[in-house]
Amino acid sequence: MGRCELPVDYTVRARGDLAAALRDLRAEAGLTYDELASRTGVSAATLKRAASGRTVPSWKTFSAFTEACCNVDGAVMSQLRREFGELTGLWRSARVAERGRLKNLRRPPAPELITTAGQLSEALEYFYEKAGAPSLRRLQARAGGPHLLPVSSAARIVARQALPASRQQCVAFLTALDVVPGVVRRLADTYDRLTAHPTDPWRAGSDLEVARVLAAGTSDIRDRRRAALRLADLSHIPSAGRQAEESLRQLVAEPMGVGRDGPRESHSRAA
């Protein structure tokens, strides 16, 4: 008879809850760790660590552990498969607790109230962390493959360095995180609203164009206000932050109606 397992480590409650659930699952399946290792190709030591509560197992280890237990013969199999969804929720909760980043993010407002690219970027990061921050490769696979969500694009999105390249990519990203379809659609509509005018220098992500417009100067009070808000929004993005801050300082320092080429006449845009 093998030695008894050490008690579950509940230092992080969600991590301990996941470990206890994995132990119960293995016991119900009637499998030893050596038998699990044979079925999964994962070492018995790694499987024991997954059910220890001292760390959160990788998704690969977690899914191998649970699938092996759910593929046992007999009537218990269907019950175990019903429990798989609950276990997935425990894995996500454990990941969220271990990473500790979600608590530092603001819960997004209703998509219709998101008015800047920065707010949308923060909302996408929030849903990524809420989903347990899956690996970029797994995110890509769940999104439908590299043609929909390249790993490089996913990395920039989760780092808040860029928005998705298209509505389709936005939908693929959110769907991969199991965001409910209604919210996915509303956020995709928000994406369309913020990127609706590709020739507009104030569109989301066009930080270089914003800088060019400001360098030329503008006297319209509404444009200056839009510029200030847009640059403040861009300043947190690593790839645009320094340029945005410098352009914002230039905008504030310039007298009204005086740009690089001297006084300009006020103009207005169609509503």
Side-chain angles (χ1 to χ4, degrees):
M1 178 181 292
R3 293 183 300 174
C4 293
E5 289 185 271
L6 294 173
V8 171
D9 186 339
Y10 279 99
T11 302
V12 177
R13 181 73 195 188
R15 219 165 50 192
D17 289 341
L18 173 63
L22 289 176
R23 291 188 181 192
D24 289 344
L25 182 68
R26 182 185 66 82
E28 290 178 25
L31 297 172
T32 67
Y33 282 110
D34 287 338
E35 290 170 333
L36 269 180
S38 178
R39 287 169 176 251
T40 62
V42 180
S43 71
T46 298
L47 295 168
K48 288 180 181 179
R49 189 161 54 250
S52 68
R54 295 190 297 274
T55 186
V56 180
S58 68
W59 176 259
K60 182 178 179 180
T61 297
F62 167 78
S63 59
F65 190 120
T66 52
E67 287 173 11
C69 290
C70 291
N71 285 332
V72 296
D73 296 327
V76 72
M77 181 173 61
S78 59
Q79 173 63 26
L80 295 179
R81 284 179 174 167
R82 282 195 295 271
E83 293 176 0
F84 181 72
E86 297 177 9
L87 288 168
T88 300
L90 289 176
W91 181 85
R92 287 183 174 180
S93 296
R95 280 277 293 174
V96 168
E98 186 173 64
R99 287 172 63 83
R101 297 183 185 181
L102 186 65
K103 63 185 179 183
N104 296 321
L105 295 174
R106 291 176 296 180
R107 184 179 181 87
E112 294 76 16
L113 299 180
I114 294 176
T115 59
T116 68
Q119 288 178 331
L120 179 57
S121 183
E122 186 175 11
L124 296 179
E125 182 189 14
Y126 176 90
F127 286 112
Y128 173 72
E129 289 294 337
K130 186 178 180 181
S135 71
L136 298 181
R137 290 291 180 187
R138 179 168 173 252
L139 193 61
Q140 179 188 77
R142 288 180 58 82
H147 63 291
L148 287 176
L149 185 65
V151 166
S152 58
S153 297
R156 289 193 294 271
I157 293 170
V158 300
R160 291 172 62 181
Q161 295 175 350
L163 289 177
S166 65
R167 178 189 176 97
Q168 184 182 34
Q169 190 173 92
C170 183
V171 170
F173 178 84
L174 291 166
T175 301
L177 299 175
D178 288 332
V179 178
V180 296
V183 175
V184 171
R185 177 184 56 76
R186 292 165 65 196
L187 284 169
D189 289 345
T190 296
Y191 173 88
D192 283 344
R193 170 165 51 82
L194 294 176
T195 60
H197 305 292
T199 59
D200 184 346
W202 312 107
R203 66 188 172 90
S206 60
D207 50 290
L208 292 177
E209 198 66 312
V210 168
R212 292 192 188 100
V213 171
L214 291 177
T218 179
S219 61
D220 188 285
I221 184 63
R222 289 174 297 177
D223 277 351
R224 292 173 72 89
R225 286 173 177 166
R226 292 179 71 189
L229 291 172
R230 183 75 183 98
L231 287 168
D233 178 51
L234 285 168
S235 63
H236 78 284
I237 301 177
S239 62
R242 180 176 298 179
Q243 183 180 23
E245 290 178 3
E246 290 176 355
S247 297
L248 183 58
R249 284 197 294 271
Q250 175 188 349
L251 177 68
V252 173
E254 276 186 0
M256 185 58 132
V258 178
R260 178 174 294 176
D261 299 321
R264 290 174 173 265
E265 293 182 3
S266 176
H267 65 280
S268 60
R269 297 189 178 193

